[in-house]
């Protein structure tokens, strides 16, 4: 009975949560329920005025670059991020506030967008390994099922392969759970970027 349950579980492995493609996705290999958006645009997260041309020079200012690195870290609470931005603004001449905050935003956008793209690429690679594992497990499940139905099969070999199948199925299921968590990360990064952009916009002087 125990082995039969293992075989049935492994045979249906392709339908485990985490390998299902989201209904709104156009990429058949994308494993997450969340829609795949390979990269973000500035317009998706920035509601302020057009960014000045020199915003792209954010990495040339050590103070801006350091602040970007600190704010981009997801371990930094948003309340702390607000205080860091307010402290930064207090060091700026009034006529440079917009310019420097625009640089901070663009630095955060480029940094977090790049991080998000890396996570998405990692998810795709992880999912590819999961599909290969699923195929291997289906093959092993079929082999164990043949042994189970073979009256002349070696009971020791049958037990060995059954135990191995059970272990590998458990590993696969744990990886599925991990994938479900990782699928949330691109959205978490996007939400942080949007939240930081709102904070920056609120600190810009109103004309």
């Amino acid at each position: 009975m125990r082995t039969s349950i293992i075989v049935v579980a492994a045979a249906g492995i392709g339908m485990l949560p985490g390998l299902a493609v989201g209904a709104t996705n156009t990429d058949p290999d994308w494993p997450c329920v969340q829609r795949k958006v390979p990269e973000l645009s500035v317009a998706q997260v920035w509601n302020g005025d057009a960014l000045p041309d020199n915003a792209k020079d954010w990495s040339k200012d050590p103070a801006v670059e350091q602040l970007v690195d600190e704010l981009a870290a997801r371990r930094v609470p948003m309340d702390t991020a607000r205080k860091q931005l307010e402290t930064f603004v207090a060091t700026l001449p009034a006529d440079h506030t917009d310019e420097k905050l625009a640089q901070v935003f663009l630095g955060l956008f480029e940094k977090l967008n790049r991080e998000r793209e890396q996570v998405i690429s990692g998810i795709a690679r992880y999912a590819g390994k999961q599909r290969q594992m699923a195929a291997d497990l289906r093959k092993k499940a079929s082999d164990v099922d043949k042994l189970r139905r073979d009256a002349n099969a070696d009971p020791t070999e049958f037990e060995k392969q059954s135990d191995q199948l059970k272990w590998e199925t458990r590993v696969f299921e744990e990886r599925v759970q991990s994938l479900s968590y990782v699928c949330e990360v691109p959205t978490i990064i996007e939400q942080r970027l949007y939240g930081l952009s709102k904070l920056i916009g609120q600190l810009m002087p109103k004309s």
Side-chain angles (χ1 to χ4, degrees):
M1 177 65 70
R2 185 190 66 173
T3 303
S4 297
I5 293 173
I6 295 170
V7 171
V8 171
I13 237 152
M15 299 183 69
L16 284 173
L19 287 186
V21 177
T24 58
N25 288 323
T26 57
D27 184 347
D29 295 327
W30 181 244
C32 303
V33 174
Q34 296 86 349
R35 187 168 65 92
K36 181 180 180 181
V37 180
E39 61 179 309
L40 302 175
S41 67
V42 168
Q44 287 177 276
V45 292
W46 180 248
N47 295 321
D49 295 335
L51 298 174
D53 290 340
N54 65 357
K56 64 181 182 297
D57 298 329
W58 64 270
S59 61
K60 296 179 181 179
D61 185 330
V64 171
E65 186 175 30
Q66 180 179 346
L67 182 60
V68 166
D69 287 341
E70 292 172 353
L71 297 179
R74 296 198 299 277
R75 66 178 180 275
V76 176
M78 293 301 287
D79 286 345
T80 302
R82 173 185 285 277
K83 292 176 182 177
Q84 289 177 296
L85 281 165
E86 290 173 344
T87 299
F88 175 71
V89 168
T91 68
L92 301 173
D95 58 346
H96 284 87
T97 301
D98 275 7
E99 170 190 318
K100 289 301 177 182
L101 285 176
Q103 289 183 344
V104 171
F105 165 74
L106 192 58
L108 285 166
F109 176 82
E110 292 180 359
K111 188 177 186 68
L112 290 176
N113 199 28
R114 183 166 56 250
E115 179 182 336
R116 186 176 174 279
E117 290 173 1
Q118 291 169 348
V119 171
I120 289 173
S121 295
I123 289 173
R125 292 192 299 271
Y126 192 98
K129 292 179 181 178
Q130 284 293 90
R131 284 191 293 273
Q132 184 58 55
M133 286 181 68
D136 292 343
L137 282 171
R138 283 193 290 269
K139 173 63 168 59
K140 290 179 180 179
S142 177
D143 292 342
V144 169
D145 196 40
K146 288 178 183 178
L147 283 175
R148 181 176 61 83
R149 291 184 277 105
D150 185 353
N152 298 318
D154 181 351
T156 302
E157 181 63 21
F158 172 66
E159 187 70 16
K160 176 183 175 182
Q161 291 195 28
S162 296
D163 288 344
Q164 182 67 23
L165 176 59
K166 181 179 180 181
W167 169 253
E168 292 183 14
T169 300
R170 179 180 176 183
V171 170
F172 179 88
E173 290 172 340
E174 290 175 350
R175 285 174 58 88
V176 166
Q177 293 302 315
S178 296
L179 181 58
S180 297
Y181 167 75
V182 175
C183 281
E184 298 284 350
V185 176
T187 300
I188 291 171
I189 294 174
E190 181 178 346
Q191 290 172 343
R192 182 169 185 83
L193 178 56
Y194 181 72
L196 290 169
S197 74
K198 285 184 64 177
L199 290 179
I200 291 169
Q202 291 167 2
L203 291 171
M204 283 185 163
K206 303 297 186 292
S207 57

Short mmCIF file of all heavy atoms in Angstrom, two decimals, residues 119-174:
data_model
loop_
_atom_site.label_atom_id
_atom_site.label_comp_id
_atom_site.label_asym_id
_atom_site.label_seq_id
_atom_site.Cartn_x
_atom_site.Cartn_y
_atom_site.Cartn_z
N VAL A 119 16.43 37.75 -10.42
CA VAL A 119 15.55 36.81 -9.73
C VAL A 119 14.69 36.05 -10.74
O VAL A 119 14.53 34.83 -10.64
CB VAL A 119 14.66 37.53 -8.70
CG1 VAL A 119 13.60 36.59 -8.13
CG2 VAL A 119 15.50 38.09 -7.56
N ILE A 120 14.15 36.77 -11.70
CA ILE A 120 13.30 36.14 -12.72
C ILE A 120 14.09 35.11 -13.52
O ILE A 120 13.60 34.01 -13.80
CB ILE A 120 12.68 37.21 -13.64
CG1 ILE A 120 11.61 37.99 -12.86
CG2 ILE A 120 12.07 36.59 -14.88
CD1 ILE A 120 11.05 39.18 -13.61
N SER A 121 15.34 35.45 -13.87
CA SER A 121 16.19 34.48 -14.59
C SER A 121 16.46 33.26 -13.72
O SER A 121 16.45 32.12 -14.20
CB SER A 121 17.52 35.14 -14.99
OG SER A 121 17.31 36.17 -15.91
N GLY A 122 16.69 33.50 -12.42
CA GLY A 122 16.92 32.39 -11.50
C GLY A 122 15.71 31.49 -11.37
O GLY A 122 15.83 30.26 -11.31
N ILE A 123 14.52 32.08 -11.35
CA ILE A 123 13.28 31.30 -11.28
C ILE A 123 13.16 30.41 -12.51
O ILE A 123 12.79 29.23 -12.41
CB ILE A 123 12.06 32.23 -11.17
CG1 ILE A 123 12.03 32.89 -9.79
CG2 ILE A 123 10.77 31.46 -11.41
CD1 ILE A 123 10.95 33.96 -9.64
N ALA A 124 13.47 30.96 -13.68
CA ALA A 124 13.38 30.18 -14.92
C ALA A 124 14.33 28.99 -14.88
O ALA A 124 13.97 27.87 -15.29
CB ALA A 124 13.66 31.08 -16.12
N ARG A 125 15.56 29.21 -14.40
CA ARG A 125 16.53 28.11 -14.31
C ARG A 125 16.06 27.05 -13.31
O ARG A 125 16.16 25.85 -13.56
CB ARG A 125 17.91 28.63 -13.92
CG ARG A 125 18.58 29.48 -15.00
CD ARG A 125 20.04 29.72 -14.66
NE ARG A 125 20.21 30.44 -13.40
CZ ARG A 125 20.24 31.76 -13.30
NH1 ARG A 125 20.10 32.52 -14.38
NH2 ARG A 125 20.42 32.34 -12.12
N TYR A 126 15.56 27.51 -12.19
CA TYR A 126 15.07 26.61 -11.13
C TYR A 126 13.92 25.76 -11.67
O TYR A 126 13.86 24.55 -11.44
CB TYR A 126 14.61 27.45 -9.95
CG TYR A 126 14.36 26.69 -8.67
CD1 TYR A 126 15.32 26.64 -7.67
CD2 TYR A 126 13.14 26.06 -8.42
CE1 TYR A 126 15.09 25.98 -6.47
CE2 TYR A 126 12.90 25.39 -7.24
CZ TYR A 126 13.88 25.36 -6.26
OH TYR A 126 13.64 24.69 -5.09
N ALA A 127 13.01 26.41 -12.37
CA ALA A 127 11.86 25.69 -12.92
C ALA A 127 12.29 24.65 -13.95
O ALA A 127 11.71 23.57 -14.04
CB ALA A 127 10.88 26.68 -13.55
N GLY A 128 13.33 24.98 -14.73
CA GLY A 128 13.85 24.01 -15.70
C GLY A 128 14.36 22.76 -15.01
O GLY A 128 14.13 21.63 -15.48
N LYS A 129 15.06 22.95 -13.89
CA LYS A 129 15.56 21.79 -13.14
C LYS A 129 14.39 21.00 -12.54
O LYS A 129 14.44 19.76 -12.49
CB LYS A 129 16.48 22.26 -12.02
CG LYS A 129 17.80 22.85 -12.53
CD LYS A 129 18.68 23.33 -11.38
CE LYS A 129 19.98 23.93 -11.89
NZ LYS A 129 20.83 24.46 -10.79
N GLN A 130 13.35 21.71 -12.12
CA GLN A 130 12.17 21.02 -11.58
C GLN A 130 11.50 20.16 -12.65
O GLN A 130 11.06 19.04 -12.37
CB GLN A 130 11.17 22.03 -11.03
CG GLN A 130 11.54 22.63 -9.69
CD GLN A 130 11.52 21.61 -8.57
OE1 GLN A 130 12.51 20.96 -8.29
NE2 GLN A 130 10.39 21.46 -7.93
N ARG A 131 11.40 20.68 -13.86
CA ARG A 131 10.77 19.89 -14.94
C ARG A 131 11.58 18.64 -15.22
O ARG A 131 11.03 17.57 -15.47
CB ARG A 131 10.63 20.76 -16.19
CG ARG A 131 9.50 21.77 -16.11
CD ARG A 131 9.22 22.42 -17.46
NE ARG A 131 10.33 23.26 -17.87
CZ ARG A 131 10.46 24.55 -17.52
NH1 ARG A 131 9.56 25.10 -16.73
NH2 ARG A 131 11.47 25.26 -17.94
N GLN A 132 12.93 18.78 -15.18
CA GLN A 132 13.77 17.60 -15.41
C GLN A 132 13.61 16.60 -14.27
O GLN A 132 13.54 15.38 -14.50
CB GLN A 132 15.23 18.02 -15.53
CG GLN A 132 16.18 16.87 -15.87
CD GLN A 132 15.82 16.16 -17.15
OE1 GLN A 132 15.69 16.80 -18.20
NE2 GLN A 132 15.61 14.85 -17.09
N MET A 133 13.56 17.11 -13.03
CA MET A 133 13.34 16.23 -11.89
C MET A 133 12.00 15.51 -12.00
O MET A 133 11.89 14.31 -11.68
CB MET A 133 13.39 17.02 -10.58
CG MET A 133 14.79 17.44 -10.15
SD MET A 133 14.76 18.34 -8.56
CE MET A 133 14.27 17.01 -7.45
N ALA A 134 10.97 16.22 -12.44
CA ALA A 134 9.65 15.62 -12.59
C ALA A 134 9.68 14.49 -13.61
O ALA A 134 9.10 13.42 -13.40
CB ALA A 134 8.63 16.68 -13.00
N ALA A 135 10.39 14.73 -14.72
CA ALA A 135 10.50 13.70 -15.75
C ALA A 135 11.25 12.48 -15.21
O ALA A 135 10.85 11.32 -15.46
CB ALA A 135 11.21 14.25 -16.98
N ASP A 136 12.32 12.72 -14.47
CA ASP A 136 13.09 11.61 -13.88
C ASP A 136 12.25 10.82 -12.89
O ASP A 136 12.30 9.58 -12.85
CB ASP A 136 14.35 12.14 -13.19
CG ASP A 136 15.36 12.71 -14.16
OD1 ASP A 136 15.24 12.42 -15.37
OD2 ASP A 136 16.26 13.45 -13.72
N LEU A 137 11.46 11.53 -12.08
CA LEU A 137 10.63 10.85 -11.08
C LEU A 137 9.53 10.03 -11.74
O LEU A 137 9.20 8.93 -11.26
CB LEU A 137 10.03 11.87 -10.12
CG LEU A 137 10.99 12.40 -9.04
CD1 LEU A 137 10.35 13.56 -8.29
CD2 LEU A 137 11.36 11.30 -8.06
N ARG A 138 8.96 10.54 -12.82
CA ARG A 138 7.94 9.76 -13.53
C ARG A 138 8.54 8.47 -14.07
O ARG A 138 7.91 7.40 -14.03
CB ARG A 138 7.31 10.59 -14.65
CG ARG A 138 6.31 11.61 -14.15
CD ARG A 138 5.49 12.20 -15.29
NE ARG A 138 6.32 13.06 -16.14
CZ ARG A 138 6.46 14.36 -15.96
NH1 ARG A 138 5.85 14.95 -14.95
NH2 ARG A 138 7.21 15.07 -16.77
N LYS A 139 9.78 8.56 -14.58
CA LYS A 139 10.46 7.37 -15.09
C LYS A 139 10.72 6.38 -13.95
O LYS A 139 10.47 5.17 -14.08
CB LYS A 139 11.77 7.79 -15.74
CG LYS A 139 12.67 6.63 -16.17
CD LYS A 139 12.03 5.77 -17.26
CE LYS A 139 13.02 4.80 -17.89
NZ LYS A 139 13.64 3.88 -16.91
N LYS A 140 11.21 6.89 -12.81
CA LYS A 140 11.49 6.01 -11.68
C LYS A 140 10.21 5.41 -11.12
O LYS A 140 10.18 4.25 -10.69
CB LYS A 140 12.25 6.78 -10.60
CG LYS A 140 13.67 7.13 -11.01
CD LYS A 140 14.40 7.93 -9.92
CE LYS A 140 15.81 8.26 -10.37
NZ LYS A 140 16.56 9.05 -9.35
N ALA A 141 9.15 6.20 -11.10
CA ALA A 141 7.87 5.69 -10.62
C ALA A 141 7.37 4.55 -11.50
O ALA A 141 6.84 3.54 -11.01
CB ALA A 141 6.83 6.81 -10.58
N SER A 142 7.57 4.70 -12.81
CA SER A 142 7.17 3.65 -13.74
C SER A 142 7.99 2.38 -13.50
O SER A 142 7.45 1.26 -13.52
CB SER A 142 7.35 4.13 -15.18
OG SER A 142 7.04 3.11 -16.10
N ASP A 143 9.30 2.55 -13.26
CA ASP A 143 10.17 1.39 -13.00
C ASP A 143 9.75 0.67 -11.72
O ASP A 143 9.72 -0.57 -11.66
CB ASP A 143 11.62 1.83 -12.89
CG ASP A 143 12.19 2.33 -14.22
OD1 ASP A 143 11.57 2.02 -15.27
OD2 ASP A 143 13.23 3.02 -14.20
N VAL A 144 9.45 1.45 -10.67
CA VAL A 144 9.03 0.84 -9.41
C VAL A 144 7.69 0.12 -9.59
O VAL A 144 7.48 -0.98 -9.04
CB VAL A 144 8.92 1.92 -8.30
CG1 VAL A 144 8.22 1.36 -7.06
CG2 VAL A 144 10.29 2.44 -7.94
N ASP A 145 6.81 0.69 -10.38
CA ASP A 145 5.51 0.07 -10.61
C ASP A 145 5.67 -1.27 -11.34
O ASP A 145 4.96 -2.24 -11.06
CB ASP A 145 4.62 1.01 -11.41
CG ASP A 145 3.16 0.61 -11.36
OD1 ASP A 145 2.70 0.19 -10.28
OD2 ASP A 145 2.49 0.68 -12.40
N LYS A 146 6.63 -1.31 -12.27
CA LYS A 146 6.88 -2.58 -12.98
C LYS A 146 7.40 -3.64 -12.01
O LYS A 146 7.01 -4.82 -12.09
CB LYS A 146 7.90 -2.36 -14.10
CG LYS A 146 7.35 -1.58 -15.29
CD LYS A 146 8.44 -1.35 -16.34
CE LYS A 146 7.92 -0.52 -17.50
NZ LYS A 146 8.99 -0.23 -18.50
N LEU A 147 8.29 -3.24 -11.12
CA LEU A 147 8.79 -4.18 -10.11
C LEU A 147 7.66 -4.66 -9.21
O LEU A 147 7.61 -5.84 -8.83
CB LEU A 147 9.88 -3.51 -9.27
CG LEU A 147 11.27 -3.37 -9.89
CD1 LEU A 147 12.19 -2.59 -8.96
CD2 LEU A 147 11.88 -4.74 -10.18
N ARG A 148 6.78 -3.76 -8.85
CA ARG A 148 5.67 -4.12 -7.97
C ARG A 148 4.78 -5.18 -8.61
O ARG A 148 4.26 -6.07 -7.94
CB ARG A 148 4.85 -2.87 -7.64
CG ARG A 148 3.67 -3.12 -6.70
CD ARG A 148 2.96 -1.82 -6.35
NE ARG A 148 2.43 -1.18 -7.54
CZ ARG A 148 1.25 -1.49 -8.10
NH1 ARG A 148 0.52 -2.47 -7.61
NH2 ARG A 148 0.84 -0.86 -9.18
N ARG A 149 4.62 -5.08 -9.94
CA ARG A 149 3.75 -6.02 -10.64
C ARG A 149 4.46 -7.31 -11.08
O ARG A 149 3.82 -8.22 -11.57
CB ARG A 149 3.14 -5.33 -11.87
CG ARG A 149 2.12 -4.25 -11.49
CD ARG A 149 1.42 -3.62 -12.68
NE ARG A 149 2.22 -2.55 -13.28
CZ ARG A 149 2.88 -2.66 -14.42
NH1 ARG A 149 2.91 -3.80 -15.08
NH2 ARG A 149 3.56 -1.62 -14.90
N ASP A 150 5.78 -7.34 -10.90
CA ASP A 150 6.57 -8.51 -11.31
C ASP A 150 6.67 -9.50 -10.15
O ASP A 150 7.33 -9.23 -9.14
CB ASP A 150 7.97 -8.05 -11.74
CG ASP A 150 8.80 -9.20 -12.29
OD1 ASP A 150 8.35 -10.37 -12.23
OD2 ASP A 150 9.93 -8.93 -12.77
N ALA A 151 6.03 -10.64 -10.30
CA ALA A 151 6.03 -11.64 -9.22
C ALA A 151 7.42 -12.18 -8.95
O ALA A 151 7.69 -12.70 -7.85
CB ALA A 151 5.09 -12.78 -9.58
N ASN A 152 8.33 -12.07 -9.92
CA ASN A 152 9.69 -12.61 -9.76
C ASN A 152 10.71 -11.55 -9.35
O ASN A 152 11.91 -11.83 -9.30
CB ASN A 152 10.14 -13.28 -11.07
CG ASN A 152 9.26 -14.45 -11.46
OD1 ASN A 152 8.88 -15.26 -10.59
ND2 ASN A 152 8.92 -14.55 -12.74
N ALA A 153 10.23 -10.36 -9.09
CA ALA A 153 11.16 -9.28 -8.74
C ALA A 153 11.82 -9.53 -7.39
O ALA A 153 11.22 -10.14 -6.49
CB ALA A 153 10.41 -7.95 -8.72
N ASP A 154 13.04 -9.04 -7.26
CA ASP A 154 13.78 -9.15 -6.00
C ASP A 154 13.16 -8.19 -4.98
O ASP A 154 13.19 -6.97 -5.19
CB ASP A 154 15.24 -8.79 -6.25
CG ASP A 154 16.10 -8.89 -4.99
OD1 ASP A 154 15.54 -9.09 -3.90
OD2 ASP A 154 17.33 -8.77 -5.11
N PRO A 155 12.60 -8.70 -3.88
CA PRO A 155 11.95 -7.83 -2.88
C PRO A 155 12.90 -6.76 -2.33
O PRO A 155 12.48 -5.63 -2.06
CB PRO A 155 11.51 -8.80 -1.78
CG PRO A 155 11.41 -10.12 -2.47
CD PRO A 155 12.50 -10.12 -3.51
N THR A 156 14.18 -7.13 -2.17
CA THR A 156 15.15 -6.17 -1.64
C THR A 156 15.35 -5.01 -2.60
O THR A 156 15.39 -3.84 -2.20
CB THR A 156 16.49 -6.86 -1.36
OG1 THR A 156 16.31 -7.93 -0.44
CG2 THR A 156 17.50 -5.87 -0.79
N GLU A 157 15.48 -5.31 -3.88
CA GLU A 157 15.65 -4.28 -4.89
C GLU A 157 14.41 -3.41 -4.99
O GLU A 157 14.49 -2.18 -5.14
CB GLU A 157 15.96 -4.92 -6.25
CG GLU A 157 16.18 -3.92 -7.38
CD GLU A 157 17.38 -3.01 -7.16
OE1 GLU A 157 18.28 -3.38 -6.36
OE2 GLU A 157 17.42 -1.94 -7.78
N PHE A 158 13.25 -4.08 -4.91
CA PHE A 158 11.99 -3.34 -4.97
C PHE A 158 11.89 -2.34 -3.81
O PHE A 158 11.54 -1.17 -3.99
CB PHE A 158 10.82 -4.32 -4.91
CG PHE A 158 9.48 -3.66 -4.76
CD1 PHE A 158 8.95 -2.86 -5.77
CD2 PHE A 158 8.74 -3.81 -3.59
CE1 PHE A 158 7.72 -2.25 -5.64
CE2 PHE A 158 7.51 -3.19 -3.45
CZ PHE A 158 7.00 -2.41 -4.48
N GLU A 159 12.24 -2.78 -2.60
CA GLU A 159 12.19 -1.92 -1.43
C GLU A 159 13.19 -0.77 -1.55
O GLU A 159 12.90 0.38 -1.19
CB GLU A 159 12.47 -2.73 -0.17
CG GLU A 159 12.27 -1.98 1.12
CD GLU A 159 10.82 -1.67 1.42
OE1 GLU A 159 9.95 -2.29 0.78
OE2 GLU A 159 10.56 -0.81 2.28
N LYS A 160 14.38 -1.09 -2.06
CA LYS A 160 15.42 -0.07 -2.23
C LYS A 160 14.96 1.03 -3.18
O LYS A 160 15.09 2.23 -2.88
CB LYS A 160 16.69 -0.72 -2.76
CG LYS A 160 17.82 0.26 -3.05
CD LYS A 160 19.02 -0.47 -3.64
CE LYS A 160 20.12 0.50 -4.06
NZ LYS A 160 21.28 -0.21 -4.66
N GLN A 161 14.42 0.63 -4.33
CA GLN A 161 13.98 1.61 -5.32
C GLN A 161 12.76 2.40 -4.82
O GLN A 161 12.62 3.59 -5.11
CB GLN A 161 13.68 0.93 -6.65
CG GLN A 161 14.91 0.40 -7.35
CD GLN A 161 14.65 0.06 -8.81
OE1 GLN A 161 13.79 0.65 -9.46
NE2 GLN A 161 15.43 -0.88 -9.34
N SER A 162 11.89 1.73 -4.08
CA SER A 162 10.72 2.40 -3.52
C SER A 162 11.13 3.48 -2.53
O SER A 162 10.60 4.60 -2.54
CB SER A 162 9.80 1.39 -2.83
OG SER A 162 9.29 0.45 -3.74
N ASP A 163 12.08 3.14 -1.66
CA ASP A 163 12.56 4.11 -0.67
C ASP A 163 13.25 5.29 -1.35
O ASP A 163 13.08 6.45 -0.94
CB ASP A 163 13.52 3.44 0.32
CG ASP A 163 12.80 2.49 1.27
OD1 ASP A 163 11.56 2.58 1.38
OD2 ASP A 163 13.49 1.67 1.91
N GLN A 164 14.02 5.01 -2.40
CA GLN A 164 14.70 6.07 -3.12
C GLN A 164 13.69 6.99 -3.80
O GLN A 164 13.85 8.22 -3.78
CB GLN A 164 15.65 5.47 -4.17
CG GLN A 164 16.45 6.49 -4.96
CD GLN A 164 17.46 7.25 -4.10
OE1 GLN A 164 17.87 6.74 -3.04
NE2 GLN A 164 17.86 8.44 -4.53
N LEU A 165 12.65 6.40 -4.38
CA LEU A 165 11.61 7.19 -5.03
C LEU A 165 10.89 8.08 -4.01
O LEU A 165 10.62 9.26 -4.28
CB LEU A 165 10.60 6.28 -5.72
CG LEU A 165 9.40 6.96 -6.38
CD1 LEU A 165 9.84 7.96 -7.45
CD2 LEU A 165 8.45 5.92 -6.96
N LYS A 166 10.61 7.53 -2.85
CA LYS A 166 9.94 8.30 -1.81
C LYS A 166 10.81 9.49 -1.39
O LYS A 166 10.30 10.61 -1.23
CB LYS A 166 9.66 7.40 -0.60
CG LYS A 166 8.94 8.12 0.53
CD LYS A 166 8.68 7.16 1.68
CE LYS A 166 7.95 7.87 2.82
NZ LYS A 166 7.70 6.95 3.97
N TRP A 167 12.09 9.26 -1.20
CA TRP A 167 13.00 10.32 -0.79
C TRP A 167 13.10 11.41 -1.86
O TRP A 167 13.00 12.61 -1.55
CB TRP A 167 14.39 9.74 -0.51
CG TRP A 167 15.44 10.80 -0.33
CD1 TRP A 167 16.44 11.12 -1.20
CD2 TRP A 167 15.58 11.67 0.79
NE1 TRP A 167 17.19 12.15 -0.68
CE2 TRP A 167 16.69 12.52 0.53
CE3 TRP A 167 14.88 11.84 1.98
CZ2 TRP A 167 17.11 13.49 1.42
CZ3 TRP A 167 15.30 12.83 2.87
CH2 TRP A 167 16.41 13.64 2.58
N GLU A 168 13.27 11.02 -3.11
CA GLU A 168 13.41 12.01 -4.18
C GLU A 168 12.11 12.78 -4.39
O GLU A 168 12.14 13.96 -4.75
CB GLU A 168 13.86 11.32 -5.46
CG GLU A 168 15.28 10.77 -5.37
CD GLU A 168 15.77 10.15 -6.66
OE1 GLU A 168 15.12 10.36 -7.71
OE2 GLU A 168 16.80 9.45 -6.62
N THR A 169 10.98 12.13 -4.18
CA THR A 169 9.69 12.82 -4.29
C THR A 169 9.57 13.87 -3.19
O THR A 169 9.09 14.98 -3.43
CB THR A 169 8.53 11.82 -4.18
OG1 THR A 169 8.62 10.86 -5.23
CG2 THR A 169 7.18 12.53 -4.27
N ARG A 170 10.02 13.54 -1.99
CA ARG A 170 9.99 14.49 -0.89
C ARG A 170 10.87 15.70 -1.19
O ARG A 170 10.47 16.85 -0.96
CB ARG A 170 10.46 13.82 0.40
CG ARG A 170 10.49 14.74 1.61
CD ARG A 170 10.97 14.01 2.84
NE ARG A 170 11.10 14.90 3.98
CZ ARG A 170 11.54 14.55 5.17
NH1 ARG A 170 11.90 13.29 5.39
NH2 ARG A 170 11.64 15.42 6.16
N VAL A 171 12.06 15.46 -1.72
CA VAL A 171 12.96 16.56 -2.10
C VAL A 171 12.29 17.45 -3.14
O VAL A 171 12.34 18.69 -3.05
CB VAL A 171 14.30 16.01 -2.63
CG1 VAL A 171 15.14 17.14 -3.23
CG2 VAL A 171 15.08 15.31 -1.52
N PHE A 172 11.66 16.81 -4.12
CA PHE A 172 10.99 17.56 -5.17
C PHE A 172 9.90 18.45 -4.59
O PHE A 172 9.78 19.63 -4.95
CB PHE A 172 10.38 16.60 -6.19
CG PHE A 172 9.64 17.27 -7.31
CD1 PHE A 172 10.30 17.67 -8.46
CD2 PHE A 172 8.27 17.51 -7.21
CE1 PHE A 172 9.61 18.30 -9.49
CE2 PHE A 172 7.58 18.14 -8.24
CZ PHE A 172 8.25 18.52 -9.37
N GLU A 173 9.09 17.91 -3.69
CA GLU A 173 7.99 18.67 -3.10
C GLU A 173 8.51 19.85 -2.27
O GLU A 173 7.91 20.93 -2.26
CB GLU A 173 7.12 17.75 -2.25
CG GLU A 173 6.33 16.75 -3.08
CD GLU A 173 5.62 15.70 -2.23
OE1 GLU A 173 6.03 15.51 -1.06
OE2 GLU A 173 4.67 15.09 -2.74
N GLU A 174 9.64 19.64 -1.58
CA GLU A 174 10.23 20.75 -0.82
C GLU A 174 10.72 21.85 -1.75
O GLU A 174 10.60 23.04 -1.45
CB GLU A 174 11.38 20.22 0.04
CG GLU A 174 10.91 19.35 1.21
CD GLU A 174 12.06 18.74 1.99
OE1 GLU A 174 13.22 18.83 1.52
OE2 GLU A 174 11.80 18.14 3.05
#
